[in-house]
Amino acid sequence: MNIEYSENLDKVREIFKGDKFASENGMIIDEIGDHYAKCSVELKDIHKNAMGGVMGGVHFTLADFAFAVAANWQQMGTVALSTDISFIGAVKGSRLTAEATLVKNGRSTCCYHITVMDDLGNIAADVKTIGFHKKF
């Protein structure tokens, strides 16, 4: 991460504390870049389903949070229109990370690709989100 982004990281973290659902479920912003974000969560019992695996909603929320940060940290106003998530494999590690990268940024819509992985390098989910740039 370059110095410009590093200097902004604390400011961005402060802004996105307002995303209560993500922050109260332990999700944090690790890195930011040009239309890019890497977010993570340390997995705890509250993130598990009845079978002891990680609840699918954790994957989705983390991916959605990474999209929100990547699409908005430089300029607020982008919301998700559509998200497609494919659960690729079981989580074996103790931490999930989501990396959101811009695929296309248009006048009124954008497309981001988000990869959700555990800390052992296993891909847990593959996500595509279409966003809409709201006019304020």
Side-chain angles (χ1 to χ4, degrees):
M1 180 173 17
N2 76 30
I3 293 170
E4 174 192 351
Y5 299 132
S6 178
E7 291 173 356
N8 286 318
L9 187 57
D10 288 335
K11 293 175 191 170
V12 172
R13 285 177 175 154
E14 190 62 33
I15 291 167
F16 282 92
K17 278 185 184 176
D19 191 331
K20 297 292 187 189
F21 190 77
S23 62
E24 290 184 13
N25 277 285
M27 296 173 191
I28 60 170
I29 303 167
D30 297 312
E31 293 178 29
I32 54 172
D34 188 29
H35 298 282
Y36 166 86
K38 182 177 182 181
C39 300
S40 65
V41 62
E42 183 181 334
L43 299 169
K44 299 181 178 176
D45 285 341
I46 64 164
H47 298 113
K48 295 186 177 176
N49 61 26
M51 294 187 300
V54 178
M55 187 81 160
V58 177
H59 299 66
F60 186 91
T61 300
L62 184 61
D64 187 54
F65 185 54
F67 159 75
V69 174
N72 287 288
W73 81 263
Q74 291 163 294
Q75 180 179 353
M76 287 291 194
T78 301
V79 297
L81 281 178
S82 173
T83 298
D84 179 47
I85 186 167
S86 297
F87 298 99
I88 305 295
V91 176
K92 296 183 176 117
S94 60
R95 179 173 213 80
L96 275 184
T97 301
E99 278 192 89
T101 55
L102 179 67
V103 175
K104 176 151 179 22
N105 196 20
R107 185 178 48 81
S108 60
T109 61
C110 58
C111 179
Y112 279 80
H113 179 250
I114 304 106
T115 302
V116 180
M117 298 179 75
D118 69 16
D119 53 329
L120 301 177
N122 301 305
I123 296 176
D126 186 67
V127 184
K128 179 180 79 173
T129 298
I130 304 299
F132 175 71
H133 303 303
K134 291 175 65 170
K135 306 283 190 236
F136 290 99

